[in-house]
Amino acid sequence: MARPPRTLTDEEFAEFVHASWPGLYRTAYLMLGDHQLAEDLVQTSLAKTYASWRQVKEPAAAPAYARVVLANTAASWFRRRGWRNEHPTEHLPDSGTDHDLTTRTAVVDALATLAPRQRAVVVLRYYDDLSVREVAQALGISEGTVKSQTSDALARLRDVLSDEAASVSVPTVDPVAVVGNGRRIQRDRRVRVAAAVSAVVAVVVVIVAAVAAPGGDRADEIPPTHTGESKDWAVASGSTVQLGSGSVIDLDDGPVGYLFSTSAGLLVNYGKDGAPWSGSSRWTVIAPDGSTSDFTLDVGDQLTDTDPSQPYVVYVEATGSPTAWDVVVRDLRTNEVTDTIRVDGSFSWADDGGVPDAFVDRDHVYLSLDETAVDVDLTTRQVSPIDTLPAKTPLTVDGGLTILFSGDLDAHAEVVDIDTGEALMDYDQGDRYLQLSPDGQHVAALPRRSCSDVDACTFDLPTAFVYDLTTDKRVEIDVEGSSTGWTLDGDLVRVTKDDVSVCDADGGGCSSTPLQVGADNPVVADTVNW
């Protein structure tokens, strides 16, 4: 049975805004240390909550959902290039003066209330970003001591910062303005574009993927927009991986098969003998600075998935029952399973049988079963049927959107908002196929590719069209002799035998970096290169 859409009056949402505003504002202020940015963050988060109210299963869950939206929005602000807690002001501060120094002094004072070892543990864990094991080795104490000292220190800091939060002056809120912004977000998603499309499966040798930080939500954001060339890409050929940050990594145990973007780094699947299907493949996580960390993942020939905003890899395991499956969430930072969520439903439509594939988008996992598609919320652990995604069909999910095909030979394609079911873009089949950007801001109409066993795969047409899904703006980008992918903030990546170019999806201009890996038959991310 499909999940019914929720109904919500503006008056009810206004009551929710009034009730949740003070707590959300104090949280935002402690996170950002700036009153104006805190107000902007809460306004933006509540507008996004209004626009995506369908995801709130019960009214009692609304405060928690809004807090998750606020945290995710803040995290996306931090990840934006150039973000340094800066915002416009009439007068420039004196050189070398930090903004809002009183807040930073309060944080330093709070740390000063900790015992010396507790303070060292907190700084090493949360400023230097060391693991529990690395902190224990650095301080010469046991891992258990690190955990207990961390728990005690955080409890102390929570008390101190609670006092700080209680003293924060909370501004008033205008619920009408919040609802208006939420409606604008919904309205901006309604775009109709006609173009030609053709779905094609390509053979892989070079993989383009995003590496550093993920892009933000599709709604408007307050911090400065990015400028200049994005470095959020990676290319692999053979056993060599090149990062946009400049690092080149050689993996000496066979060719690269997949590149997965995560907030913990680039998850790489590689190995010999046709891995991953032979079961002999290896895994490693590559940080943006090029350092590697081997990762143990025994999934046989089961496909896995990740999301750029999450430090997890997700896959599905059989339970012994043909109508029950376990969605497994494994933390890439610790190599530990952090959650296992049971999903009920039969799965028999795939040619190879096996278990359902997991399709991850932000904090949701989607499975397509025999009777319905299901939405697994990793935050609430709730499993719900979802009628905006099809059953018995491989899914394409990025940035809260999906592409649905219909008609003979998939003659018609629609870009659909998963939350609302609205079709944002309509395509009639032709000589191009659609590819969503990871952040859901853009979609590319890419030419069909022709491949042979001898020659490299090439596009049949010299140009691609990239559409902004919020403005209906289209740019034309030269893709002749290249392979394409995306950066995480929605710029097109173009790989040729000589260089890797990042092309502005809004303006079409490209900037290039010399290709430092093999150039045999480059193609797009998330397919295999043998």
Side-chain angles (χ1 to χ4, degrees), residues 17-257:
V17 169
H18 277 301
S20 62
W21 176 266
L24 292 174
Y25 179 84
R26 290 189 176 95
T27 297
Y29 178 73
L30 289 177
M31 292 173 69
L32 301 177
D34 181 277
H35 287 285
Q36 184 59 55
L37 285 177
E39 187 169 352
D40 291 340
L41 175 60
V42 181
Q43 289 271 7
T44 301
S45 302
L46 286 172
K48 292 180 182 180
T49 300
Y50 179 91
S52 300
W53 190 258
R54 177 190 177 113
Q55 293 191 21
V56 180
K57 310 298 190 302
E58 299 293 338
Y65 180 82
R67 195 170 297 276
V68 170
V69 172
L70 183 142
N72 289 341
T73 303
S76 72
W77 287 13
F78 299 150
R79 290 189 295 262
R80 298 289 287 267
R81 289 188 302 282
W83 169 256
R84 295 291 186 275
N85 198 15
E86 299 167 350
H87 62 287
T89 180
E90 291 184 7
H91 304 288
L92 291 175
D94 294 337
S95 176
T97 301
D98 285 334
H99 180 69
D100 208 351
L101 185 61
T102 56
T103 300
R104 294 174 184 173
T105 301
V107 174
V108 172
D109 289 345
L111 286 171
T113 66
L114 302 178
R117 178 174 288 177
Q118 288 180 346
R119 182 169 184 170
V121 167
V122 169
V123 171
L124 289 175
R125 283 284 286 127
Y126 299 107
Y127 181 77
D128 290 332
D129 200 29
L130 300 185
S131 67
V132 171
R133 178 177 298 178
E134 289 169 333
V135 174
Q137 292 174 345
L139 297 180
I141 58 180
S142 69
E143 294 182 26
T145 300
V146 171
K147 294 177 181 179
S148 63
Q149 293 281 351
T150 300
S151 177
D152 293 343
L154 293 181
R156 173 60 181 163
L157 288 174
R158 190 176 297 112
D159 290 340
V160 174
L161 292 177
S162 293
D163 294 338
E164 174 73 13
S167 66
V168 172
S169 177
V170 179
T172 59
V173 59
D174 180 5
V176 175
V178 174
V179 170
N181 287 334
R183 286 176 173 171
R184 177 178 53 79
I185 293 172
Q186 291 176 326
R187 184 174 62 251
D188 287 346
R189 291 174 177 173
R190 300 186 181 108
V191 178
R192 296 291 188 272
V193 179
V197 61
S198 172
V200 157
V201 176
V203 179
V204 178
V205 175
V206 173
I207 306 173
V208 179
V211 176
D217 219 355
R218 292 170 46 236
D220 295 340
E221 299 185 14
I222 301 300
T225 57
H226 75 274
T227 58
E229 179 187 356
S230 171
K231 301 295 184 181
D232 299 346
W233 54 264
V235 175
S237 179
S239 60
T240 306
V241 180
Q242 177 183 349
L243 307 186
S245 60
S247 299
V248 177
I249 302 95
D250 184 48
L251 304 172
D252 58 4
D253 191 17
V256 170

Side-chain angles (χ1 to χ4, degrees), residues 147-496:
K147 294 177 181 179
S148 63
Q149 293 281 351
T150 300
S151 177
D152 293 343
L154 293 181
R156 173 60 181 163
L157 288 174
R158 190 176 297 112
D159 290 340
V160 174
L161 292 177
S162 293
D163 294 338
E164 174 73 13
S167 66
V168 172
S169 177
V170 179
T172 59
V173 59
D174 180 5
V176 175
V178 174
V179 170
N181 287 334
R183 286 176 173 171
R184 177 178 53 79
I185 293 172
Q186 291 176 326
R187 184 174 62 251
D188 287 346
R189 291 174 177 173
R190 300 186 181 108
V191 178
R192 296 291 188 272
V193 179
V197 61
S198 172
V200 157
V201 176
V203 179
V204 178
V205 175
V206 173
I207 306 173
V208 179
V211 176
D217 219 355
R218 292 170 46 236
D220 295 340
E221 299 185 14
I222 301 300
T225 57
H226 75 274
T227 58
E229 179 187 356
S230 171
K231 301 295 184 181
D232 299 346
W233 54 264
V235 175
S237 179
S239 60
T240 306
V241 180
Q242 177 183 349
L243 307 186
S245 60
S247 299
V248 177
I249 302 95
D250 184 48
L251 304 172
D252 58 4
D253 191 17
V256 170
Y258 288 94
L259 299 179
F260 298 89
S261 300
T262 79
S263 63
L266 186 73
L267 177 63
V268 183
N269 174 230
Y270 67 105
K272 299 177 180 178
D273 302 324
W277 297 282
S278 66
S280 63
S281 61
R282 295 177 56 186
W283 300 79
T284 192
V285 178
I286 303 178
D289 63 3
S291 60
T292 62
S293 177
D294 287 343
F295 187 79
T296 301
L297 188 59
D298 184 15
V299 294
D301 62 358
Q302 172 63 26
L303 296 182
T304 62
D305 201 13
T306 64
D307 183 87
S309 67
Q310 305 293 339
Y312 308 112
V313 60
V314 180
Y315 50 94
V316 179
E317 289 184 340
T319 65
S321 167
T323 59
W325 317 95
D326 282 340
V327 174
V328 181
V329 182
R330 185 179 290 270
D331 194 320
L332 293 171
R333 300 163 298 184
T334 63
N335 200 12
E336 296 179 352
V337 173
T338 59
D339 204 355
T340 300
I341 303 173
R342 180 62 54 89
V343 175
D344 295 319
S346 62
F347 174 76
S348 60
W349 60 266
D351 293 337
D352 58 355
V355 301
D357 290 330
F359 299 89
V360 183
D361 187 44
R362 294 172 289 189
D363 53 358
H364 290 259
V365 179
Y366 301 100
L367 279 66
S368 182
L369 304 177
D370 288 344
E371 301 297 329
T372 184
V374 296
D375 172 7
V376 182
D377 190 322
L378 297 181
T379 302
T380 65
R381 306 185 78 252
Q382 184 165 352
V383 180
S384 305
I386 181 166
D387 58 357
T388 54
L389 293 174
K392 297 184 178 182
T393 303
L395 303 178
T396 297
V397 179
D398 278 300
L401 307 179
T402 186
I403 299 177
L404 303 180
F405 296 94
S406 60
D408 294 339
L409 300 177
D410 293 337
H412 183 73
E414 288 184 318
V415 177
V416 174
D417 187 308
I418 295 174
D419 295 340
T420 65
E422 295 180 79
L424 311 182
M425 175 182 278
D426 296 327
Y427 263 75
D428 290 326
Q429 183 88 343
D431 51 8
R432 299 176 187 271
Y433 67 98
L434 293 182
Q435 185 183 87
L436 287 167
S437 66
D439 63 354
Q441 290 278 6
H442 300 89
V443 63
L446 299 171
R448 182 188 298 272
R449 297 178 64 88
S450 297
C451 302
S452 71
D453 294 336
V454 178
D455 299 324
C457 293
T458 57
F459 284 123
D460 293 345
L461 298 173
T463 58
F465 302 124
V466 179
Y467 297 90
D468 187 320
L469 289 171
T470 62
T471 66
D472 196 13
K473 181 180 179 181
R474 188 189 85 171
V475 299
E476 187 172 348
I477 296 176
D478 180 13
V479 295
E480 188 169 14
S482 72
S483 196
T484 58
W486 296 96
T487 66
L488 288 176
D489 45 14
D491 289 331
L492 196 72
V493 176
R494 184 180 65 191
V495 184
T496 69

